[in-house]
Amino acid sequence: MTHRSHRLLTVGSLARVEGEGALHISVRGSRVADIRLEIYEPPRYFEALLRGRAYTEPPDITARICGICPVAYQMSACRAVEDACGVTVDGQLAELRRLLYCGEWIESHTLHVYLLHAPDFLGLPDALALARTRPELLKRGLRLKKAGNEIVERLGGRAIHPINVRLGGFHRLPERAELDRLTAVLRQARTDAEDTLGWVAGFEFPELAVGHELLALRGRGGYAIDAGVPYGSRTGAFTAADFESHVLERQVPHSTALHAELDGRRYLTGPLARWSLNGALLPPPILALAAEAGLGPTCDNPFRSILVRAVEVLWAVTEAQRIIERYEPPPVPAVPVPPRAGTGHGATEAPRGLLYHRYQLDGDGTIRAATIIPPTAQNQAAIEADLRTFVQDRLHLDDVELTRQCEQAIRNYDPCISCAAHFLDLTVERA
């Protein structure tokens, strides 16, 4: 509702994001008084569910946190448990894990670009309207997403909640012929990815510049996805074991997702962070196409994150092609991971940003404590701050248009609200 000196904008349920959330904006006079991005899904207690379970179970259990990016949870879980057990997975097994992750990046980013976010830039209410007005575009998007799904299904056993991942590697290795069948799929996917980048480069991007600290993994000699060292634009590099020394989570009254700070500062993880911190590590041909699309060495406009996602889809397709071309079957599908007492830390780059896991194990492999910090929870404080700036500059808009643009601004970050739903401490005060 709107009054002369007080405007209250309420989005009861955000559309085209994963999970359930709401947005409340209060404007008094000419100033934004309050903004709350509410993540109100019930906590799902995954960290509590893991306590007392066997150390072999986190890859399968945590995959159920999200149906869009289960591989990210599996890979971070594997890295953390293997770290606790003193085991490193390398060689072709690590390459196969990277290939699996590439498949998830392709399907997840493509889902966001075509079905969730592009309709905003085209003035359409949803992907169904895109199917009616430009069916050839939606067909291309679905074909590209299917390519990612096929990679995940081939290596993971199925496209959603893969079942072939285990500590130390895989339950079963793919045959050379199985990977070769992906070659034609990826050849078409590369064309589709290049066309997608050219398409989104033609969108009109609202002006918005953010100045948060950025956090992403930094890989050794390549673009980080399945491995790397956490790196903050102001903090610098630190180990995964030191993650919780730098990142502090805190509870806020209006959300079941915790807010996070990096050394006391609000920060952003995800495509903008990866591009600004690691974009120069991409292959020169992809950097050239990114430059043609309008991306500079850094990007501080969340609306242009759709461009970065399109670049990352193209990179993931070419990286998948590289891995398949050079694949040599390893001697065993998995290396041994014997249990031992200790604490392990693991971090990988989920499509939406850095995903961190920590597990404390007993000597027999029983999990005594688990911590999972997903990217959407890390980004929530930054999203709220960006919305405050965004709304302040657009108070001249009527309530309907301002609300629509705020929803689009939230979709810039592709929030996975289900992933962010966290455990809440309960305090009961009785008189």
Side-chain angles (χ1 to χ4, degrees), residues 7-10 23-27 32 34-36 391 406:
R7 301 171 68 183
L8 180 63
L9 286 78
T10 300
L23 174 67
H24 297 275
I25 302 172
S26 177
V27 179
V32 177
D34 185 40
I35 281 186
R36 301 193 313 274
V391 171
C406 285

Side-chain angles (χ1 to χ4, degrees), residues 120-422:
D120 287 328
F121 294 97
L122 301 175
L124 299 173
D126 49 41
L128 293 177
L130 178 61
R132 289 191 296 268
T133 58
R134 297 291 302 276
E136 74 283 1
L137 292 178
L138 190 59
K139 288 179 181 178
R140 182 177 68 197
L142 293 176
R143 186 170 60 235
L144 186 53
K145 184 182 185 304
K146 184 179 178 182
N149 285 349
E150 288 195 27
I151 295 173
V152 175
E153 186 171 359
R154 189 72 62 190
L155 272 76
R158 61 187 184 193
I160 299 175
H161 304 321
I163 55 175
N164 192 37
V165 173
R166 58 167 292 182
L167 295 181
F170 298 86
H171 291 288
R172 172 188 175 275
L173 291 174
E175 299 289 340
R176 174 78 249 185
E178 292 180 277
L179 295 184
D180 286 342
R181 283 195 287 273
L182 293 172
T183 301
V185 173
L186 288 170
R187 190 180 302 116
Q188 177 63 52
R190 179 156 186 166
T191 298
D192 289 336
E194 290 178 357
D195 291 343
T196 298
L197 178 57
W199 173 54
V200 299
F203 292 167
E204 290 189 19
F205 302 104
E207 291 298 323
L208 179 64
V210 300
H212 310 299
E213 180 161 10
L214 304 175
L215 178 65
L217 294 184
R218 177 162 284 183
R220 297 178 178 87
Y223 205 64
I225 177 170
D226 59 322
V229 176
Y231 186 90
S233 53
R234 293 172 61 183
T235 299
F238 54 92
T239 66
D242 289 329
F243 190 86
E244 290 175 274
S245 298
H246 292 277
V247 173
L248 176 65
E249 291 187 296
R250 59 184 176 85
Q251 200 171 310
V252 293
H254 58 272
S255 177
T256 54
L258 303 179
H259 282 205
E261 294 178 339
L262 175 60
D263 291 333
R265 298 181 294 271
R266 188 169 52 238
Y267 69 99
L268 185 67
T269 187
L272 292 187
R274 288 192 295 259
W275 173 259
S276 297
L277 297 177
N278 301 319
L281 299 175
L282 289 168
I286 293 181
L287 284 176
L289 289 173
E292 289 179 15
L295 281 172
T298 61
C299 182
D300 62 359
N301 184 348
F303 285 94
R304 297 173 71 85
S305 64
I306 193 171
L307 270 176
V308 179
R309 288 186 174 91
V311 170
E312 290 187 334
V313 170
L314 177 57
W315 171 80
V317 170
T318 59
E319 182 71 354
Q321 289 176 311
R322 179 195 68 80
I323 294 171
I324 290 174
E325 288 172 1
R326 300 181 183 182
Y327 175 67
E328 294 291 338
V332 293
V335 297
V337 184
R340 74 176 189 184
T343 301
H345 311 263
T348 65
E349 281 288 343
R352 294 159 183 83
L354 193 153
L355 171 62
Y356 167 80
H357 286 219
R358 172 176 58 83
Y359 298 102
Q360 180 183 346
L361 307 181
D362 278 350
D364 64 354
T366 301
I367 299 170
R368 287 302 167 206
T371 296
I372 300 171
I373 304 180
T376 293
Q378 296 178 67
N379 283 337
Q380 191 179 355
I383 296 173
E384 287 187 346
D386 294 346
L387 283 170
R388 182 178 292 273
T389 301
F390 184 77
V391 171
Q392 187 65 54
D393 293 339
R394 290 164 174 80
L395 289 179
H396 60 281
L397 299 175
D398 62 43
D399 288 6
V400 173
E401 179 60 18
L402 183 58
T403 300
R404 185 193 70 80
Q405 290 196 22
C406 285
E407 287 192 86
Q408 179 184 5
I410 292 171
R411 284 190 283 269
N412 288 333
Y413 304 89
D414 189 18
C416 187
I417 291 172
S418 290
C419 294
H422 217 281

Side-chain angles (χ1 to χ4, degrees), residues 80-101:
V81 175
E82 289 160 3
D83 179 55
C85 297
V87 172
T88 299
V89 176
D90 53 18
Q92 285 295 314
L93 286 176
E95 287 288 272
L96 285 177
R97 282 182 168 181
R98 189 172 179 86
L99 175 60
L100 177 64
Y101 221 141

